[in-house]
Amino acid sequence: MARYEINGGKPLEGTVTISGAKNAAVAILPAALLVSGKCRVENVPDISDVRILLDILEGMGVKLAYPEPHVVELDSSEVQCTTPDPELVKKMRASYYLMGALLGRFGHAHVALPGGCNFASRPIDQHIKGFLALGADVDETEDYVALKPTEEGLHGARITLDMASVGATVNIMVAATLLPGQTVIENAAKEPHIVDLANFLNSMGAKIRGAGTDVIRVRGVQNLHGTTYTVIPDQIETGTLMIAAAATRGDVVIHGCIPTHMEALTAKLLEMGVRVTENDDSIRVRPQGVQRAVNVKTQVYPGFPTDLQQPMTSLLCMANGVSTVSETIFERRFMHLDELRRMGAHIKLMDHSTILIEGVRELYGAPVTVTDLRAGAALIVAGLMAKGVTEIYETSYIDRGYERIEEKLRSLGADIRREKLS
Ligand code: EPZ
């Protein structure tokens, strides 16, 4: 257990480098199960979700090596296990990606249902819809999902998702890679980590086209070969640091990012009156007078990411005027509001998906508790903005998705300390 202690009000200044993308890494690492060979994955973020996932894979017989920081070598040649350790699986949400990888490699899977962030219900009916279409027999209970081939066997299929689900797109794409025939995923998610996963699979010899559009075509191949692959920089960490720079009216260069992944947030910051300039692989955020209130509506990529809704809400707490934030992806992704109100924010819940934020002149430090990963990001941003000291508890949620965030912020001049509690 640990807590962050932030003495707010200091502008962030300097350059910070982004880590590898959590949501790409947690999709790519299980996909290494598909190949009876060695994969070298670089720029892997050192976060607890990745560490848990690697523990799960090792427990299944994947041989792991860590030749240098942020590099993992995985050899799945000896793997025969199709039932990952349920106690570990329950610790992180993306463990459901093991279903697609095991179905694709072995035709069987028995995976406990995951835990992860507790905002909103996190159904997997679209994943199941995909597995059924691919010819799997699905035994789904409250505790696990078990997959095996039906009599007709596993095969490619055309699947139209009811909504552009990131998780379902990942699971179906991975499961289909080694299946005979063609699989077409319609209404597919287009997030950068979907493209990164497709690039990783294609670097192993898969035949996947259309990732990044809403129609992905997978032509099944007989087998794959090992590869070396570098994970893209984390779009959400980039956005969180952009927001923190604006929130503290600092001057920060975020290095090693992909500006085109950030367009929805960049546009909103520019609309607020924040100065944002882009280079090939860096973004600079500087203040420029009054920060105006704006309206934000979360959408699937390339719209405003739901994962940035919470830190953006903190920034809007001190904007000039009244902002609205509409969360269209996850219902009730507002568990951070009470904590922000404790710091002096004026936020009204209009209905289950929309809030009204009346900008205030000051936020005040207070003891606050993290309820989910991106709520943690919101509370860090608010603590950096607030007058006085903010103590942030339950920081383990933050460790799931941000690598050494307190060190990165301290290197930018933030007065933030991490204190062990027990
Ligand atoms: C992924 O979650 C991310 N997690 C989330 O990031 C992110 O918020 C989300 O995509 C949206 O971008 C990982 O990549 C590990 P979805 P996922 O399937 O796959 C509904 C973070 O902070 N839905 O795109 O669970 C679902 O309830 C995390 O890094 C179904 O109804 O998101 C939601 O309303 C939080 N049935 C919407 O679709 C399904 O079978 C989008 O969910 C699947 C999803």
Side-chain angles (χ1 to χ4, degrees), residues 22-24 26 49 93-94 96-97 117 119-128 163-168 170 189 191 193 236 299-301 305-307 310 328-331 333 372-374 400-401:
K22 163 176 99 77
N23 292 343
V26 298
D49 268 11
R93 173 162 188 74
Y96 57 34
Y97 289 155
C117 278
F119 63 82
S121 64
R122 305 290 291 274
I124 60 167
D125 56 293
Q126 300 298 299
H127 304 232
I128 302 301
M163 80 289 294
S165 157
V166 168
V170 167
E191 273 68 6
H193 27 291
I236 305 305
Q299 301 279 9
V300 296
Y301 191 83
T306 174
D307 292 346
Q310 293 159 287
T328 72
I329 306 295
F330 288 107
E331 80 270 7
R333 195 172 189 173
D372 57 81
L373 167 57
R374 306 302 176 182
R400 289 189 48 221

Side-chain angles (χ1 to χ4, degrees), residues 295-415:
N295 298 324
V296 174
K297 184 171 186 177
T298 64
Q299 301 279 9
V300 296
Y301 191 83
F304 193 96
T306 174
D307 292 346
L308 289 177
Q309 177 261 108
Q310 293 159 287
M312 187 70 180
T313 297
S314 296
L315 173 63
L316 293 173
C317 287
M318 285 181 65
N320 185 23
V322 177
S323 303
T324 61
V325 174
S326 175
E327 171 57 72
T328 72
I329 306 295
F330 288 107
E331 80 270 7
R332 296 197 315 277
R333 195 172 189 173
F334 291 129
M335 291 166 73
H336 51 304
L337 300 188
D338 284 342
E339 304 307 297
L340 292 175
R341 290 184 183 114
R342 210 191 298 279
M343 299 176 72
H346 289 181
I347 305 175
K348 213 165 117 189
L349 188 62
M350 304 304 287
D351 58 38
H352 75 285
S353 69
T354 305
I355 58 175
L356 210 66
I357 307 166
E358 183 195 336
V360 294
R361 295 183 61 74
E362 202 71 80
L363 290 181
Y364 300 93
V368 290
T369 302
V370 178
T371 49
D372 57 81
L373 167 57
R374 306 302 176 182
L379 295 176
I380 286 179
V381 170
L384 293 169
M385 296 162 78
K387 204 185 187 75
V389 175
T390 299
E391 293 164 351
I392 300 177
Y393 294 89
E394 299 300 339
T395 55
S396 58
Y397 285 105
I398 300 170
D399 298 338
R400 289 189 48 221
Y402 292 97
E403 179 182 338
R404 300 183 295 102
I405 190 70
E406 73 276 5
E407 289 175 28
K408 288 172 179 164
L409 291 170
R410 228 185 352 258
S411 74
L412 294 172
D415 181 353

Side-chain angles (χ1 to χ4, degrees), residues 146-179:
L147 306 171
K148 64 181 194 296
T150 52
E151 279 182 19
E152 60 176 0
L154 299 172
H155 52 76
R158 175 181 289 273
I159 299 148
T160 302
L161 295 176
D162 296 0
M163 80 289 294
S165 157
V166 168
T169 303
V170 167
N171 246 334
I172 296 165
M173 190 160 60
V174 170
T177 295
L178 290 169
L179 297 189

